[in-house]
Short mmCIF file of all heavy atoms in Angstrom, two decimals:
data_model
loop_
_atom_site.label_atom_id
_atom_site.label_comp_id
_atom_site.label_asym_id
_atom_site.label_seq_id
_atom_site.Cartn_x
_atom_site.Cartn_y
_atom_site.Cartn_z
N TYR A 1 119.18 -68.03 -90.09
CA TYR A 1 120.47 -68.43 -90.66
C TYR A 1 120.41 -69.89 -91.08
O TYR A 1 119.61 -70.68 -90.54
CB TYR A 1 121.60 -68.26 -89.63
CG TYR A 1 121.83 -66.84 -89.19
CD1 TYR A 1 121.09 -66.28 -88.14
CD2 TYR A 1 122.79 -66.04 -89.82
CE1 TYR A 1 121.30 -64.97 -87.73
CE2 TYR A 1 123.00 -64.73 -89.41
CZ TYR A 1 122.25 -64.20 -88.37
OH TYR A 1 122.46 -62.90 -87.97
N ILE A 2 121.25 -70.24 -92.05
CA ILE A 2 121.41 -71.65 -92.40
C ILE A 2 122.89 -72.03 -92.29
O ILE A 2 123.78 -71.19 -92.44
CB ILE A 2 120.88 -71.97 -93.81
CG1 ILE A 2 121.63 -71.15 -94.88
CG2 ILE A 2 119.38 -71.71 -93.91
CD1 ILE A 2 122.43 -71.97 -95.83
N LYS A 3 123.10 -73.31 -92.02
CA LYS A 3 124.46 -73.86 -92.03
C LYS A 3 124.41 -75.15 -92.82
O LYS A 3 123.79 -76.13 -92.38
CB LYS A 3 124.96 -74.13 -90.61
CG LYS A 3 126.33 -74.82 -90.57
CD LYS A 3 126.86 -74.98 -89.18
CE LYS A 3 128.15 -75.80 -89.16
NZ LYS A 3 129.20 -75.27 -90.04
N GLN A 4 125.00 -75.14 -94.01
CA GLN A 4 124.99 -76.33 -94.84
C GLN A 4 126.26 -77.13 -94.64
O GLN A 4 127.37 -76.57 -94.62
CB GLN A 4 124.84 -75.97 -96.32
CG GLN A 4 124.76 -77.21 -97.22
CD GLN A 4 124.29 -76.90 -98.62
OE1 GLN A 4 123.97 -75.76 -98.94
NE2 GLN A 4 124.23 -77.91 -99.48
N GLU A 5 126.10 -78.44 -94.47
CA GLU A 5 127.26 -79.31 -94.32
C GLU A 5 128.03 -79.36 -95.64
O GLU A 5 127.46 -79.29 -96.71
CB GLU A 5 126.82 -80.72 -93.92
CG GLU A 5 126.28 -80.82 -92.51
CD GLU A 5 125.95 -82.26 -92.13
OE1 GLU A 5 126.28 -83.18 -92.92
OE2 GLU A 5 125.35 -82.46 -91.06
N GLY A 6 129.35 -79.51 -95.52
CA GLY A 6 130.14 -79.64 -96.73
C GLY A 6 131.47 -78.93 -96.60
O GLY A 6 131.72 -78.16 -95.67
N VAL A 7 132.35 -79.17 -97.56
CA VAL A 7 133.69 -78.58 -97.57
C VAL A 7 133.61 -77.12 -98.02
O VAL A 7 132.87 -76.79 -98.94
CB VAL A 7 134.61 -79.38 -98.52
CG1 VAL A 7 136.01 -78.77 -98.54
CG2 VAL A 7 134.67 -80.85 -98.08
N ASN A 8 134.34 -76.27 -97.34
CA ASN A 8 134.44 -74.85 -97.69
C ASN A 8 133.14 -74.07 -97.54
O ASN A 8 133.00 -72.98 -98.11
CB ASN A 8 134.97 -74.67 -99.13
CG ASN A 8 136.38 -75.18 -99.31
OD1 ASN A 8 137.23 -74.98 -98.44
ND2 ASN A 8 136.64 -75.86 -100.41
N MET A 9 132.19 -74.62 -96.80
CA MET A 9 130.95 -73.89 -96.57
C MET A 9 131.14 -72.82 -95.49
O MET A 9 131.93 -73.01 -94.56
CB MET A 9 129.84 -74.86 -96.14
CG MET A 9 129.39 -75.83 -97.23
SD MET A 9 128.55 -74.96 -98.56
CE MET A 9 128.07 -76.36 -99.60
N PRO A 10 130.41 -71.71 -95.58
CA PRO A 10 130.47 -70.72 -94.50
C PRO A 10 130.00 -71.32 -93.18
O PRO A 10 129.24 -72.30 -93.16
CB PRO A 10 129.50 -69.64 -94.97
CG PRO A 10 129.36 -69.84 -96.44
CD PRO A 10 129.53 -71.30 -96.67
N ILE A 11 130.44 -70.73 -92.06
CA ILE A 11 130.00 -71.19 -90.73
C ILE A 11 128.50 -71.07 -90.61
O ILE A 11 127.83 -71.97 -90.10
CB ILE A 11 130.70 -70.36 -89.64
CG1 ILE A 11 132.21 -70.59 -89.69
CG2 ILE A 11 130.14 -70.67 -88.26
CD1 ILE A 11 133.01 -69.62 -88.85
N LYS A 12 127.95 -69.99 -91.09
CA LYS A 12 126.50 -69.79 -91.17
C LYS A 12 126.24 -68.64 -92.13
O LYS A 12 127.14 -67.86 -92.44
CB LYS A 12 125.87 -69.53 -89.80
CG LYS A 12 126.36 -68.31 -89.10
CD LYS A 12 125.80 -68.21 -87.68
CE LYS A 12 126.36 -69.29 -86.78
NZ LYS A 12 126.11 -69.05 -85.35
N GLU A 13 124.99 -68.54 -92.60
CA GLU A 13 124.64 -67.50 -93.57
C GLU A 13 123.23 -66.98 -93.28
O GLU A 13 122.29 -67.76 -93.10
CB GLU A 13 124.64 -68.08 -94.99
CG GLU A 13 125.93 -68.71 -95.43
CD GLU A 13 125.74 -69.49 -96.74
OE1 GLU A 13 125.68 -68.84 -97.80
OE2 GLU A 13 125.63 -70.72 -96.69
N LEU A 14 123.10 -65.67 -93.26
CA LEU A 14 121.79 -65.05 -93.11
C LEU A 14 120.96 -65.30 -94.36
O LEU A 14 121.42 -65.07 -95.48
CB LEU A 14 121.95 -63.54 -92.90
CG LEU A 14 120.67 -62.74 -92.65
CD1 LEU A 14 120.07 -63.07 -91.29
CD2 LEU A 14 120.94 -61.24 -92.76
N LYS A 15 119.71 -65.77 -94.17
CA LYS A 15 118.82 -66.03 -95.30
C LYS A 15 117.42 -65.45 -95.08
O LYS A 15 116.52 -65.69 -95.90
CB LYS A 15 118.71 -67.54 -95.55
CG LYS A 15 119.98 -68.16 -96.11
CD LYS A 15 120.33 -67.60 -97.48
CE LYS A 15 121.64 -68.16 -98.02
NZ LYS A 15 122.03 -67.53 -99.29
N GLY A 16 117.23 -64.71 -94.00
CA GLY A 16 115.94 -64.08 -93.77
C GLY A 16 115.99 -63.23 -92.52
O GLY A 16 116.75 -63.52 -91.58
N PHE A 17 115.19 -62.15 -92.48
CA PHE A 17 115.09 -61.32 -91.27
C PHE A 17 113.78 -60.57 -91.30
O PHE A 17 113.26 -60.23 -92.37
CB PHE A 17 116.28 -60.35 -91.16
CG PHE A 17 116.44 -59.41 -92.33
CD1 PHE A 17 115.81 -58.17 -92.33
CD2 PHE A 17 117.22 -59.76 -93.41
CE1 PHE A 17 115.95 -57.30 -93.40
CE2 PHE A 17 117.38 -58.90 -94.49
CZ PHE A 17 116.74 -57.67 -94.49
N LYS A 18 113.23 -60.33 -90.14
CA LYS A 18 112.00 -59.54 -90.00
C LYS A 18 112.11 -58.69 -88.75
O LYS A 18 112.45 -59.19 -87.68
CB LYS A 18 110.77 -60.46 -89.87
CG LYS A 18 110.38 -61.21 -91.14
CD LYS A 18 109.19 -62.12 -90.87
CE LYS A 18 108.89 -63.05 -92.04
NZ LYS A 18 108.04 -62.44 -93.05
N ARG A 19 111.80 -57.42 -88.90
CA ARG A 19 111.73 -56.52 -87.74
C ARG A 19 110.26 -56.42 -87.33
O ARG A 19 109.43 -55.93 -88.10
CB ARG A 19 112.31 -55.15 -88.08
CG ARG A 19 112.36 -54.22 -86.86
CD ARG A 19 113.20 -52.98 -87.11
NE ARG A 19 113.21 -52.12 -85.94
CZ ARG A 19 114.27 -51.49 -85.48
NH1 ARG A 19 115.44 -51.63 -86.08
NH2 ARG A 19 114.19 -50.71 -84.41
N ILE A 20 109.96 -56.89 -86.12
CA ILE A 20 108.57 -57.02 -85.66
C ILE A 20 108.36 -56.16 -84.42
O ILE A 20 109.17 -56.19 -83.49
CB ILE A 20 108.25 -58.49 -85.30
CG1 ILE A 20 108.58 -59.41 -86.47
CG2 ILE A 20 106.81 -58.65 -84.87
CD1 ILE A 20 107.75 -59.19 -87.70
N HIS A 21 107.25 -55.40 -84.39
CA HIS A 21 106.90 -54.63 -83.20
C HIS A 21 105.84 -55.38 -82.40
O HIS A 21 104.81 -55.78 -82.93
CB HIS A 21 106.36 -53.24 -83.58
CG HIS A 21 106.05 -52.40 -82.38
ND1 HIS A 21 107.03 -51.75 -81.65
CD2 HIS A 21 104.86 -52.14 -81.74
CE1 HIS A 21 106.47 -51.10 -80.64
NE2 HIS A 21 105.16 -51.32 -80.67
N LEU A 22 106.12 -55.58 -81.11
CA LEU A 22 105.17 -56.25 -80.22
C LEU A 22 104.98 -55.42 -78.95
O LEU A 22 105.95 -54.98 -78.33
CB LEU A 22 105.67 -57.64 -79.83
CG LEU A 22 105.77 -58.71 -80.93
CD1 LEU A 22 106.33 -60.00 -80.35
CD2 LEU A 22 104.43 -58.96 -81.59
N LYS A 23 103.74 -55.23 -78.57
CA LYS A 23 103.46 -54.61 -77.28
C LYS A 23 103.78 -55.61 -76.17
O LYS A 23 103.83 -56.83 -76.43
CB LYS A 23 101.99 -54.19 -77.20
CG LYS A 23 101.60 -53.12 -78.21
CD LYS A 23 100.16 -52.69 -78.01
CE LYS A 23 99.76 -51.64 -79.05
NZ LYS A 23 100.58 -50.44 -78.98
N LYS A 24 104.03 -55.13 -74.97
CA LYS A 24 104.36 -56.07 -73.89
C LYS A 24 103.21 -57.06 -73.71
O LYS A 24 102.04 -56.68 -73.69
CB LYS A 24 104.68 -55.33 -72.60
CG LYS A 24 103.58 -54.47 -72.03
CD LYS A 24 104.06 -53.81 -70.74
CE LYS A 24 102.95 -52.94 -70.14
NZ LYS A 24 103.39 -52.29 -68.89
N GLY A 25 103.58 -58.33 -73.64
CA GLY A 25 102.59 -59.39 -73.52
C GLY A 25 102.04 -59.90 -74.84
O GLY A 25 101.39 -60.93 -74.88
N GLU A 26 102.32 -59.19 -75.94
CA GLU A 26 101.76 -59.58 -77.24
C GLU A 26 102.55 -60.73 -77.84
O GLU A 26 103.76 -60.84 -77.68
CB GLU A 26 101.77 -58.38 -78.19
CG GLU A 26 101.11 -58.67 -79.54
CD GLU A 26 101.16 -57.48 -80.49
OE1 GLU A 26 101.67 -56.40 -80.10
OE2 GLU A 26 100.71 -57.64 -81.65
N GLN A 27 101.82 -61.60 -78.56
CA GLN A 27 102.42 -62.75 -79.24
C GLN A 27 102.03 -62.72 -80.71
O GLN A 27 100.92 -62.32 -81.05
CB GLN A 27 101.95 -64.05 -78.59
CG GLN A 27 102.61 -65.30 -79.17
CD GLN A 27 102.37 -66.52 -78.29
OE1 GLN A 27 102.29 -66.40 -77.07
NE2 GLN A 27 102.26 -67.68 -78.90
N GLN A 28 102.94 -63.14 -81.57
CA GLN A 28 102.65 -63.13 -83.01
C GLN A 28 103.30 -64.34 -83.67
O GLN A 28 104.39 -64.76 -83.29
CB GLN A 28 103.19 -61.84 -83.64
CG GLN A 28 102.74 -61.61 -85.07
CD GLN A 28 103.15 -60.22 -85.57
OE1 GLN A 28 103.18 -59.26 -84.81
NE2 GLN A 28 103.46 -60.10 -86.83
N ASN A 29 102.61 -64.90 -84.66
CA ASN A 29 103.17 -65.99 -85.45
C ASN A 29 103.85 -65.42 -86.68
O ASN A 29 103.31 -64.53 -87.35
CB ASN A 29 102.07 -66.97 -85.86
CG ASN A 29 101.47 -67.69 -84.67
OD1 ASN A 29 102.18 -68.04 -83.74
ND2 ASN A 29 100.16 -67.89 -84.69
N LEU A 30 105.03 -65.92 -86.98
CA LEU A 30 105.81 -65.44 -88.11
C LEU A 30 106.06 -66.56 -89.10
O LEU A 30 106.17 -67.73 -88.71
CB LEU A 30 107.17 -64.89 -87.66
CG LEU A 30 107.17 -63.83 -86.56
CD1 LEU A 30 108.60 -63.44 -86.24
CD2 LEU A 30 106.38 -62.62 -86.98
N THR A 31 106.18 -66.19 -90.38
CA THR A 31 106.46 -67.17 -91.43
C THR A 31 107.61 -66.70 -92.30
O THR A 31 107.65 -65.54 -92.72
CB THR A 31 105.22 -67.39 -92.32
OG1 THR A 31 104.13 -67.83 -91.52
CG2 THR A 31 105.49 -68.44 -93.40
N PHE A 32 108.55 -67.59 -92.54
CA PHE A 32 109.61 -67.38 -93.53
C PHE A 32 109.44 -68.42 -94.63
O PHE A 32 108.79 -69.45 -94.43
CB PHE A 32 110.99 -67.55 -92.90
CG PHE A 32 111.38 -66.46 -91.93
CD1 PHE A 32 111.10 -66.57 -90.58
CD2 PHE A 32 112.06 -65.34 -92.37
CE1 PHE A 32 111.46 -65.59 -89.68
CE2 PHE A 32 112.43 -64.34 -91.49
CZ PHE A 32 112.13 -64.46 -90.13
#
């Protein structure tokens, strides 16, 4: 999400999402 300062701006806005599958204990690096 992003929140831009300014008058009449939304509280926050979705700008990216990823559904990731991880096995227990697994770690992954993500990039947006």
Side-chain angles (χ1 to χ4, degrees):
Y1 297 86
I2 60 115
K3 175 176 174 54
Q4 183 167 358
E5 290 184 7
V7 180
N8 296 319
M9 292 293 183
I11 296 168
K12 61 186 69 166
E13 303 169 77
L14 183 70
K15 290 297 177 185
F17 58 90
K18 289 178 189 274
R19 184 168 179 139
I20 306 295
H21 182 78
L22 294 178
K23 296 184 181 300
K24 61 180 181 180
E26 184 181 358
Q27 184 166 327
Q28 190 172 327
N29 294 322
L30 307 179
T31 301
F32 290 91

